[in-house]
Amino acid sequence: MTGMARDTGTRLGFNTHLAQSIADILGTPKGTRVMRRAYGSDIPDLIDAPINGETVVDLYQAVAESVGQWEPRLTLTRVQVLDAAPGHLTLALDGDVTGRPTSLSVEVAA
């Protein structure tokens, strides 16, 4: 299965399309979609917070909640923060897609 790149319209492989979809979910603030107020995540509220133990736990919870609700193709098993800079976050997501292990790198920008 393939998808389409939102910026160029070119064909994407499954994992790249899945990462693009998850980045859209995580980068969309809850309450900003008119007909789907629950769509999105709490990450835009956390993206400029200081990176400490409490914020990291909040990030993990926001990712797990949003991906679990809005991306049925992935069963998430692990979330790791790879890089955090002001207004930018890079995550490593591990999970299962129809029974096969999958690893993704997802970039979220505010």
Side-chain angles (χ1 to χ4, degrees), residues 32-89:
T32 58
R33 293 273 174 101
V34 175
M35 298 300 285
R36 257 190 199 173
R37 294 288 182 192
Y39 181 83
S41 76
D42 294 323
I43 288 183
D45 296 333
L46 300 169
I47 206 161
D48 285 329
I51 298 299
N52 56 31
E54 182 180 340
T55 304
V56 171
V57 170
D58 290 342
L59 284 169
Y60 292 161
Q61 183 271 330
V63 171
E65 178 183 277
S66 299
V67 170
Q69 181 176 5
W70 296 107
E71 187 47 78
R73 297 176 289 178
L74 179 69
T75 302
L76 194 61
T77 58
R78 182 172 170 236
V79 178
Q80 182 180 6
V81 176
L82 296 179
D83 184 38
H88 185 265
L89 184 64

